[in-house]
């Protein structure tokens, strides 16, 4: 009889705990939804370009809600990356045919130079081949550089929209000092990157492309050393700037986050000890609201990371495909020992490599900044 009574008591206790847990979840969801609307998180969708938003929908993300973000799987992300690269490869395949045709014609003519008995013909045909190759590659290269700058400016615009929202959540959740310092630095970074993409990147890359083409067309104007120096200096400058910015933001957040955490714990202790009778309940409610805000911040940050990846992915894929095409074409040209064409393809590949480095540099700075904002106060 005692065993039966104990069994029924356990069932009643389990049912009671389950109902309490359900009510607790319902209350937490209500607080979370209210905060989501109050912070106007849906504005993040408006700051994402349409193509990037479509890519995010393909992997199952339509907003910054935690339920959708928690269901992200690696398979859908890899599938979207594969689809993007496939599109860029399909779009760039048409550019391989002119390159291979010019290499083939140059090889035929150069092998016939002994039949003509005139050594100058090979030089003339080599220059003509380089000029034909330039005319077929300049337009897609310039278009690619311009679209890369558009992607960078779009990402900078998204950061300028996302950072105030996350900073507001941080301030309300008890980290006002970290929010103010981080927002100032990241907003300044976004403005600088937007200015950099619009007023410096495109002219610089076009000049670098032009210098590389001149070096390949006219061997008497030896600009090869200058081009190599620019390539190496650009990549080193990107690495140095990324390291400095990340270091400053990290150190700043470590100090300010410690101060904010101390103030938050002091406030909870004061509520718990000074408010009679209901102090513990108020402290628990404060912790619940704070937990919802942290969840809201994590959702906005995760949405921002995925959005930045979706913005940059198409241009990273296009630059990577162009680098692969240039290297493969250069390998074929090296087989037939056509030095001018090989040098031209190598130069264009180097320009695309610098462009890819610039994209990854900007993308990593923005993602690292978002991640640091997410982990503050945890």
């Amino acid at each position: 009889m005692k065993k039966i009574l104990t069994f029924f008591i356990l069932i009643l206790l389990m049912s009671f705990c389950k109902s309490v847990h359900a009510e607790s979840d319902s209350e937490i969801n209500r607080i979370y939804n209210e905060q989501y609307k109050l912070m106007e998180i849906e504005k993040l969708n408006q700051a994402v370009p349409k193509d990037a938003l479509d890519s995010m929908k393909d992997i199952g993300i339509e907003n910054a809600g935690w339920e959708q973000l928690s269901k992200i799987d690696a398979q859908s992300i890899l599938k979207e990356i594969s689809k993007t690269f496939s599109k860029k490869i399909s779009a760039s395949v048409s550019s391989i045919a002119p390159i291979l045709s010019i290499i083939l014609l140059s090889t035929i003519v150069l092998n016939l130079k002994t039949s003509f008995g005139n050594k100058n013909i090979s030089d003339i045909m080599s220059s003509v081949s380089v000029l034909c190759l330039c005319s077929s590659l300049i337009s897609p290269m310039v278009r690619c550089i311009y679209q890369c700058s558009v992607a960078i400016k779009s990402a900078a615009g998204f950061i300028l929209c996302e950072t105030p929202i996350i900073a507001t959540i941080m301030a309300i959740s008890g980290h006002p000092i970290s929010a103010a310092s981080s927002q100032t630095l990241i907003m300044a970074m976004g403005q600088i990157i937007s200015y950099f993409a619009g007023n410096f990147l495109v002219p610089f890359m076009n000049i670098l492309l032009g210098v590389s083409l001149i070096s390949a067309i006219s061997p008497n104007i030896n600009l090869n050393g200058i081009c190599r120096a620019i390539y190496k200096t650009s990549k080193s400058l990107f690495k140095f700037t990324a390291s400095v910015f990340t270091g400053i933001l990290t150190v700043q957040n470590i100090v300010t986050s410690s101060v904010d955490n101390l103030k938050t714990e002091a406030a909870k202790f004061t509520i718990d000890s000074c408010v009679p009778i209901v102090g513990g309940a108020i402290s628990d409610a404060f912790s619940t609201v704070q937990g919802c805000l942290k969840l809201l911040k994590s959702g906005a940050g995760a949405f921002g990371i995925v959005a930045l990846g979706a913005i940059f992915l198409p241009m990273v894929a296009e630059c990577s495909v162009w680098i692969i095409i240039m290297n493969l074409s250069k390998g074929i040209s090296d087989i037939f020992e056509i030095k001018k064409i090989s040098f031209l393809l190598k130069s264009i590949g180097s320009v695309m490599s610098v462009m890819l480095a610039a994209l990854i540099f900007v993308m990593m700075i923005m993602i690292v900044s978002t991640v640091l904002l997410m982990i503050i106060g945890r």
Side-chain angles (χ1 to χ4, degrees):
M1 186 67 183
K2 290 182 179 180
K3 291 182 179 180
I4 297 173
L5 182 61
T6 304
F7 177 73
F8 280 111
I9 290 173
L10 288 173
I11 292 177
L12 290 173
L13 287 173
M14 290 175 63
S15 301
F16 176 75
C17 292
K18 187 175 181 181
S19 62
V20 171
H21 182 68
E23 291 178 3
S24 177
D25 287 345
S26 176
E27 181 65 16
I28 290 173
N29 287 330
R30 184 187 66 79
I31 295 173
Y32 176 84
N33 292 329
E34 288 179 357
Q35 292 173 347
Y36 188 93
K37 294 178 181 179
L38 183 64
M39 298 298 170
E40 298 182 340
I41 308 294
E42 64 274 1
K43 285 186 177 180
L44 291 176
N45 291 59
Q46 302 174 7
V48 181
K50 184 179 181 302
D51 293 339
L53 201 58
D54 292 338
S55 297
M56 295 174 66
K57 289 179 180 179
D58 290 339
I59 63 175
I61 298 176
E62 296 184 1
N63 55 55
W66 68 271
E67 293 180 350
Q68 291 187 2
L69 292 166
S70 63
K71 295 177 182 178
I72 300 176
D73 59 328
Q75 184 177 359
S76 60
I77 294 175
L78 292 175
K79 184 178 179 181
E80 184 63 25
I81 293 173
S82 176
K83 185 176 74 173
T84 303
F85 270 87
S86 299
K87 286 182 181 179
K88 295 301 179 182
I89 291 172
S90 301
S92 302
V93 163
S94 58
S95 301
I96 300 177
I99 298 174
L100 297 180
S101 301
I102 292 170
I103 292 174
L104 181 61
L105 289 174
S106 299
T107 304
I108 294 172
V109 173
L110 291 175
N111 288 332
L112 293 175
K113 67 180 181 180
T114 53
S115 301
F116 291 106
N118 188 351
K119 187 178 179 180
N120 293 329
I121 290 180
S122 63
D123 296 332
I124 294 171
M125 286 306 303
S126 180
S127 299
V128 170
S129 300
V130 170
L131 288 172
C132 292
L133 198 57
C134 288
S135 65
S136 64
L137 291 176
I138 285 177
S139 179
M141 293 296 104
V142 172
R143 180 188 57 80
C144 180
I145 291 171
Y146 173 74
Q147 288 184 345
C148 287
S149 70
V150 171
I152 291 175
K153 286 193 285 188
S154 298
F158 176 78
I159 282 290
L160 294 176
C161 176
E162 179 196 39
T163 303
I165 293 175
I166 297 181
T168 303
I169 297 173
M170 289 169 58
I172 295 174
S173 62
H175 295 83
I177 301 176
S178 299
S181 60
S182 300
Q183 181 179 6
T184 302
L185 186 59
I186 295 175
M187 293 287 283
M189 177 268 294
Q191 294 286 354
I192 292 171
I193 288 177
S194 181
Y195 179 83
F196 164 79
N199 299 279
F200 177 76
L201 183 64
V202 173
F204 172 75
M205 294 304 301
N206 287 335
I207 291 171
L208 184 59
L209 179 63
V211 170
S212 301
L213 296 179
I214 292 172
S215 300
I217 294 172
S218 179
N220 295 326
I221 304 175
N222 190 6
L223 300 175
N224 189 24
I226 296 176
C227 293
R228 282 202 304 266
I230 293 174
Y231 301 149
K232 293 179 180 179
T233 304
S234 299
K235 292 181 180 180
S236 299
L237 186 61
F238 291 149
K239 293 178 183 177
F240 174 76
T241 306
S243 301
V244 170
F245 177 80
T246 305
I248 292 173
L249 189 60
T250 302
V251 172
Q252 186 184 58
N253 285 332
I254 289 173
V255 176
T256 56
S257 181
S258 299
V259 177
D260 286 329
N261 287 332
L262 180 61
K263 290 184 176 181
T264 302
E265 293 299 326
K268 290 171 66 176
F269 176 77
T270 302
I271 294 172
D272 196 9
S273 59
C274 295
V275 180
I277 302 174
V278 295
I282 295 175
S283 179
D284 292 339
F286 177 74
S287 298
T288 302
V289 173
Q290 214 176 21
C292 291
L293 286 170
K294 289 179 181 179
L295 183 60
L296 196 67
K297 184 180 69 172
S298 298
F303 181 86
I305 292 172
V306 176
L308 290 171
I311 291 171
F312 282 106
L313 178 60
M315 297 319 303
V316 169
E318 184 166 347
C319 289
S320 301
V321 169
W322 275 115
I323 291 171
I324 293 171
I325 290 175
M326 293 300 107
N327 289 333
L328 289 176
S329 302
K330 178 184 176 298
I332 296 172
S333 180
D334 287 338
I335 293 174
F336 296 109
E337 298 182 352
I338 309 175
K339 295 181 179 179
K340 281 190 175 182
I341 292 180
S342 296
F343 181 78
L344 175 63
L345 295 173
K346 180 182 177 181
S347 300
I348 295 176
S350 298
V351 173
M352 288 294 103
S353 178
V354 173
M355 190 70 253
L356 180 61
L359 283 173
I360 294 176
F361 157 73
V362 175
M363 180 176 68
M364 292 311 299
I365 280 185
M366 293 182 175
I367 289 177
V368 168
S369 302
T370 304
V371 170
L372 288 175
L373 290 177
M374 289 173 62
I375 65 177
I376 293 173
R378 288 193 172 275

